[in-house]
Amino acid sequence: MDGDHQVIVAIGVSNQASDAVHLLPMLERIQANSGRLPEALIADAGYCSTANLETCEAMGLAAYISTSRQQHGQRPRPSRGRAPRDLDARGRMSRKLRSKAGQAIYALRKTIVEPVFAQIKGARGLDRFRLRGLEKVDGEWALMATTQ
């Protein structure tokens, strides 16, 4: 999702329970569709895996991927002091998200992604898929997400 213009830059439908396996393929789709990688990436806990976090770090991508599910309205305690040197990728991301800047950036996910999903569901009437089969559902989602 392009946050400045509320434009979907890459889509996909899956029958897999975990979103984590889709982060890197989605980044490839974004690059194929737009010609570049995003400046920043905000994703919920479903996309969190050590491999995804390490890959984003290696790519130099400013990623903000929640490391755990948060209850509605609860904010994590802010991190204080210097980060321990032996933190793994998940620890570094958790600490990053607990910073004031990290919390502010991650909160943008609600204002960037959710309004677009609401438009698709409300204005375009996609409250459920009407077709059956992964390929047909993917096509139905692509049609709803890209047409006006």
Side-chain angles (χ1 to χ4, degrees):
M1 183 73 56
D2 177 341
D4 293 334
H5 302 97
Q6 288 191 332
V7 174
I8 297 172
V9 292
I11 61 169
V13 174
S14 168
N15 59 1
Q16 295 171 329
S18 174
D19 293 329
V21 297
H22 301 291
L23 183 70
L24 299 178
M26 197 57 64
L27 285 172
E28 291 170 1
R29 288 181 189 170
I30 291 169
Q31 189 166 23
N33 292 344
S34 68
R36 60 187 175 99
L37 287 172
E39 293 175 16
L41 168 74
I42 305 172
D44 64 26
Y47 290 94
C48 186
S49 74
T50 301
N52 285 347
L53 297 174
E54 289 173 349
T55 301
C56 288
E57 285 179 354
M59 295 170 71
L61 183 60
Y64 296 85
I65 303 171
S66 180
T67 57
S68 62
R69 299 188 76 145
Q70 297 173 5
Q71 290 185 346
H72 185 71
Q74 277 192 328
R75 289 188 156 203
R77 290 185 6 228
S79 55
R80 302 203 184 269
R82 290 185 176 257
R85 291 182 183 228
D86 61 345
L87 281 179
D88 63 355
R90 188 176 293 268
R92 288 188 298 274
M93 182 58 67
S94 178
R95 189 169 176 82
K96 181 178 179 180
L97 289 173
R98 288 192 335 249
S99 70
K100 286 186 179 186
Q103 288 179 7
I105 291 169
Y106 188 76
L108 292 175
R109 188 179 69 82
K110 296 175 191 170
T111 62
I112 293 172
V113 175
E114 298 306 327
V116 176
F117 285 148
Q119 291 167 10
I120 291 170
K121 288 180 176 181
R124 297 185 184 173
L126 185 63
D127 58 347
R128 74 182 127 229
F129 292 110
R130 289 160 178 79
L131 302 175
R132 297 294 170 251
L134 191 56
E135 188 175 323
K136 290 178 183 177
V137 168
D138 194 43
E140 185 178 3
W141 176 239
L143 181 65
M144 287 301 220
T146 58
T147 60
Q148 298 200 30

